[in-house]
Amino acid sequence: QVNGSNINFSTSSVFVEDTIQVYFNGILQIQGGLEDYSEDADRQGITFAIAPETNTKVVVIYSESV
């Protein structure tokens, strides 16, 4: 839920490492520990450095692990 305080978001499927693309209101975010977000070790979610503001449209695109 994008509520201005949540930094942890789950994906609906396990994803292939390094296939994630995250957009805030159409702007591509940068992946990495000191950047905008990082992939969770279990490849089932992402953690943002700063919580997206309420009403931010967050789009996550990734390849599903098979």
Side-chain angles (χ1 to χ4, degrees):
Q1 180 180 1
V2 180
N3 60 13
S5 63
N6 188 16
I7 62 167
N8 297 305
F9 291 82
S10 298
T11 53
S12 58
S13 302
V14 175
F15 54 83
V16 176
E17 186 175 7
D18 293 326
T19 63
I20 292 242
Q21 292 182 326
V22 178
Y23 296 85
F24 282 7
N25 295 326
I27 299 172
L28 180 63
Q29 303 300 293
I30 305 299
Q31 178 185 340
L34 300 175
E35 301 295 341
D36 299 319
Y37 72 95
S38 58
E39 294 180 355
D40 295 349
D42 63 3
R43 297 190 321 275
Q44 294 184 45
I46 55 177
T47 301
F48 292 110
I50 298 172
E53 295 180 17
T54 302
N55 296 324
T56 298
K57 181 178 181 182
V58 177
V59 175
V60 179
I61 301 169
Y62 58 89
S63 295
E64 283 187 48
S65 183
V66 289

